[in-house]
Amino acid sequence: MNHPTMKRITSYHIIYISALLSILSACSKDDNPGNNQSQYMLVAESASSNSMFNVKFYAKDSLFVGYNKVFFMLYEKSSGSQVTQAEINFRPIMDMVTFKHACPVENPSGTADANGYFEGAVMFSMPGYDGSWSLSADVVANGKTDSIYFPLARVIPTNPVKKIVVIDSLSNGSGGWIISKYPVSLVEPDKWNVGNNNFEITVNKMASMMSFPTINDMTIAITPEMPSMGHGSPNNVNPIPVSDGHYSGTVNFTMTGAWRVHLDFTRDGRAIGKNAYFDISF
Ligand SMILES: [Cu+2]
């Protein structure tokens, strides 16, 4: 402990480490002005239409096509106090000039989490730029009703995709077809590993341009394939319903690389769609 060389190294290191720490803390302050220690990324902040609430809109990452967890933080505008009980209904809209459409959402429960976040999800169905997507929400809290509007600068595509559409064609018995579209989104684990991975997806039905009810009666089989090497993997567990619109199973990746997880959907005893899959690389 009292060796002189050891002492020199230690004091040198202390100076070096404290210099490094001050650089790091300066950087994180600059990256997050006025928003200390949020665990999420601030997407936008705005007052509600009738100025009853201030709303901060956070996400885990840049908004993308697929299942995005989104978080609202609410404040009473008059008092500045944080709101922890609220009914929030998301209304995403894409304005495609000639027509508008929405996408599936999961509205937050009425109570904020311990850190004050109201957590929900938006399953963006296509990329958007320059505010073509917007996220509005109706907010009821503290006996007040108001709405909030966030134009979204970007919703980016991912490669590989994290959202597919399963298309079902059913004969109507007189030469025509009833076409049904089922958006399916990957609720990705934070990280894919060799071995067993939780495999969770959401399934909705496109009932109209604006309405996407959850589907809870799909039977789903998953078959992983490593196309470059022509093999699959054993011990996979097919996803089963775990919560409204969510199905969870286990996918076993026996090595790193590029995998394709094939999905077979059956509903009412009938195969739905064809060639559905998610590519996953790690
Ligand atoms: Cu669109």
Side-chain angles (χ1 to χ4, degrees), residues 75-125:
Y75 303 87
E76 278 249 24
K77 198 153 194 284
S78 55
S79 66
S81 65
Q82 192 159 7
V83 177
T84 56
Q85 300 287 325
E87 188 188 309
I88 300 172
N89 285 292
F90 293 140
R91 288 183 287 107
I93 290 288
M94 186 181 218
D95 189 342
M96 301 193 72
V97 184
T98 51
F99 71 102
K100 293 178 183 184
H101 64 87
C103 67
V105 297
E106 291 174 355
N107 290 314
S109 77
T111 306
D113 68 16
N115 296 315
Y117 294 103
F118 292 91
E119 177 182 332
V122 181
M123 290 89 114
F124 292 109
S125 52

Side-chain angles (χ1 to χ4, degrees), residues 223-227 253 258-262 276-280:
T223 313
E225 178 199 8
M226 191 165 223
F253 294 133
W259 287 86
R260 178 164 287 183
V261 179
H262 298 272
Y277 60 82
F278 284 107
D279 283 334
I280 290 159

Side-chain angles (χ1 to χ4, degrees), residues 156-173:
I156 58 176
T158 66
N159 183 17
V161 301
K162 293 179 180 171
K163 186 225 67 170
I164 58 175
V165 179
V166 176
I167 300 172
D168 178 45
S169 323
L170 177 64
S171 167
N172 68 0

